[in-house]
Amino acid sequence: MKLYIPPQLTRLALAFAIFISLFLVLRHFLVPDTFGQYGHYRGASLIDNAQPEIHYAGQQACFECHQDIQDLKAQDVHSEIHCETCHGPGQKHVLSGESSDILKPTGREFCGLCHAMNAAKQKNAVFQVDLKKHNIGKNCIECHNPHQPWEMKK
Amino acid sequence: MSQSTSAMGNEKIKSSRRKFLKSAATLAGATIGYSWLKSSQVLLFAAEPKDESLPWYGIVIDIEKCIGCGSCAKACKKENDVPIEPFFFRTWIEQYTVKNDGSVNIVSPNGGIDGFEQTVPDEDIFKSFFVPKMCNHCSKSPCIQVCPVGATYDSPEGVVLIDEKYCIGCRYCVQACPYGCRFIHPVKKVANKCTLCYHRLKKNLTPACMEVCPTGARMYGNLRDKNSELVKFLKEHTTQVLRPNLNTGAKLYYNALSSEVR
């Protein structure tokens, strides 16, 4: 017995087929190439995210030319503090070697960022001084060597 | 005579229409076929292969060690070209002060970049501490789920990243993040957030905030490697994630977290 398919159904099926094809064609052009490579996102975006230039060179890069200062620093309480914590981003300076490309911090407020009295700082985390009492009127680095704080300058 | 001409004309139209339909169908068929060949996973975008050979990053912040110097927040802005003003932060520090009467004072002037001053007099303070905040790099993150275009995602290393070229700046994710870690970049006008310095990780450098932290209060490491410093730390300390009730799968663990922290 021959199966009877009503003509409106065939037409409907045709319409569906056309719409689905159209959808797939549009999708083909609209979805970026690497979309879905690793998940529901553009795989090439991982490469984009790895692209930006670095500004902080990392402490190891400084040792190449400033081993003397590292040797000083390693002997004292600031040994765990990396150069760029105080000197700011150094990648430009590492590439150029120019002193104008790096910061040289000064002032009592700078040391105070870490050493000023604050009840929120845990007692054993850092040594705190009262900036309003500790040798006022003088810059910290006039007495303390920033790289070797207990090596007092005379 | 006139009838036969019109019949011939119809014939012509019919044959050219058939030709057109034929070539159109071939073109469409070829494109569809190619689009299926190109990526058989056209309908399977949700499948996410996990590469066990890559690290799976987690973060620890030790509140007992943080001294609120703001080095991390400053370095983060400089490393990632986030404008110093207006006040948007990928990482920032909050100073919590619990007073003797039980009230809690939370301040974060300029994200902590310029340091903190304790405004509550000593005799009123019950306890006080700093809480550095940043993206929790959740493994079941709400921000990814709400993105309508797939512009934010969990990288194979477990770092939640943004596709800046694909983001439409609709701000859904900014609202969805329960930790307030996202913002719209004032220059690029697309969503922006901590990437765990993905560009540095790929060059075997530590994230900028961890590079500059003077007390080692911030740590990151491979959660898959059971011998890593991070996993050892997690085993030896009682750590907690923020808002565990939301089940975001946060991978930023705080040591010594107080219940006042929100």
Side-chain angles (χ1 to χ4, degrees):
Chain A
M1 188 188 123
K2 200 164 170 267
L3 186 68
Y4 174 71
I5 302 171
Q8 63 267 43
L9 266 194
T10 29
R11 263 182 235 137
L12 205 61
L14 192 69
F16 267 100
I18 288 173
F19 275 122
I20 291 174
S21 313
L22 213 62
F23 172 76
L24 286 176
V25 171
L26 277 180
R27 181 189 183 107
H28 168 71
F29 286 112
L30 291 179
V31 173
D33 275 351
T34 56
F35 205 96
Q37 191 178 358
Y38 306 110
H40 187 78
Y41 59 93
R42 216 165 48 91
S45 163
L46 282 173
I47 299 163
D48 291 352
N49 267 304
Q51 285 304 323
E53 295 286 310
I54 57 166
H55 298 304
Y56 281 79
Q59 160 142 280
Q60 287 298 330
C62 312
F63 300 166
E64 219 174 278
C65 305
H66 296 292
Q67 189 62 44
D68 51 334
I69 290 184
Q70 169 58 12
D71 292 344
L72 282 185
K73 191 164 73 73
Q75 293 164 21
D76 212 339
V77 285
H78 277 174
S79 61
E80 293 300 313
I81 309 177
H82 290 192
C83 314
E84 287 166 312
T85 305
C86 298
H87 289 293
Q91 176 67 8
K92 209 171 152 208
H93 169 76
V94 165
L95 296 177
S96 70
E98 298 283 335
S99 53
S100 54
D101 290 336
I102 193 101
L103 297 172
K104 221 163 66 165
T106 49
R108 292 169 67 87
E109 292 75 27
F110 163 70
C111 304
L113 282 177
C114 294
H115 288 293
M117 282 282 186
N118 188 331
K121 292 177 186 170
Q122 309 303 308
K123 285 274 170 325
N124 53 0
V126 71
F127 299 97
Q128 299 161 46
V129 289
D130 193 341
L131 287 193
K132 294 194 193 75
K133 288 200 188 113
H134 187 74
N135 301 307
I136 32 175
K138 279 184 131 172
N139 204 343
C140 315
I141 51 178
E142 286 176 47
C143 299
H144 300 277
N145 182 337
H147 303 132
Q148 215 175 359
W150 279 133
E151 201 57 44
M152 311 298 275
K153 296 175 187 170
K154 283 283 143 12
Chain B
M1 164 89 169
S2 67
Q3 239 184 0
S4 78
T5 0
S6 85
M8 261 166 72
N10 270 347
E11 233 7 81
K12 252 189 199 157
I13 290 171
K14 263 190 191 155
S15 83
S16 70
R17 187 196 285 158
R18 198 173 295 132
K19 239 189 233 160
F20 169 74
L21 281 177
K22 249 189 204 160
S23 47
T26 333
L27 205 67
T31 323
I32 296 167
Y34 175 61
S35 77
W36 278 85
L37 273 180
K38 185 192 77 173
S39 57
S40 51
Q41 81 277 56
V42 137
L43 298 171
L44 300 171
F45 281 162
E48 202 173 330
K50 285 267 188 291
D51 189 348
E52 296 280 327
S53 66
L54 287 170
W56 176 252
Y57 289 119
I59 308 150
V60 157
I61 291 182
D62 192 344
I63 288 176
E64 282 175 354
K65 284 190 185 159
C66 180
I67 58 172
C69 65
S71 302
C72 49
K74 190 162 33 176
C76 176
K77 282 207 170 198
K78 287 186 177 168
E79 177 68 27
N80 295 297
D81 299 318
V82 178
I84 301 295
E85 276 183 37
F87 300 124
F88 292 122
F89 301 92
R90 289 178 173 210
T91 183
W92 70 99
I93 306 133
E94 294 169 1
Q95 178 180 266
Y96 280 69
T97 306
V98 183
K99 296 188 204 161
N100 282 326
D101 63 12
S103 61
V104 185
N105 187 31
I106 309 167
V107 293
S108 184
N110 193 10
I113 286 184
D114 311 319
F116 289 89
E117 243 173 89
Q118 187 56 266
T119 48
V120 181
D122 271 355
E123 58 273 19
D124 291 345
I125 299 177
F126 177 67
K127 65 173 173 181
S128 185
F129 50 88
F130 295 109
V131 184
K133 296 260 181 94
M134 63 188 274
C135 173
N136 289 245
H137 294 285
C138 310
S139 52
K140 292 178 264 179
S141 79
C143 58
I144 294 176
Q145 289 166 31
V146 299
C147 182
V149 294
T152 181
Y153 54 92
D154 198 5
S155 87
E157 299 96 342
V159 182
V160 177
L161 294 174
I162 291 171
D163 183 347
E164 288 183 354
K165 288 188 188 146
Y166 219 50
C167 174
I168 54 173
C170 72
R171 293 165 169 77
Y172 273 134
C173 57
V174 178
Q175 294 220 3
C177 177
Y179 308 106
C181 293
R182 285 173 169 255
F183 57 91
I184 296 290
H185 195 287
V187 179
K188 298 177 185 164
K189 307 287 183 207
V190 292
N192 203 290
K193 66 178 276 296
C194 162
T195 59
L196 200 60
C197 283
Y198 190 76
H199 60 299
R200 294 178 66 84
L201 291 179
K202 283 283 157 189
K203 299 179 180 86
N204 282 330
L205 292 165
T206 49
C209 58
M210 308 193 187
E211 170 74 27
V212 301
C213 180
T215 57
R218 290 165 168 258
M219 256 184 278
Y220 79 106
N222 184 1
L223 291 171
R224 283 211 179 99
D225 176 5
K226 297 304 169 213
N227 297 317
S228 66
E229 286 293 312
L230 187 87
V231 174
K232 217 186 284 167
F233 188 96
L234 289 174
K235 274 194 282 195
E236 288 167 358
H237 297 76
T238 41
T239 54
Q240 177 62 291
V241 296
L242 291 177
R243 301 187 186 223
N245 54 320
L246 295 181
N247 191 23
T248 54
K251 300 205 297 300
L252 166 51
Y253 303 90
Y254 284 95
N255 184 35
L257 189 72
S258 272
S259 55
E260 289 86 5
V261 180
R262 279 169 286 143

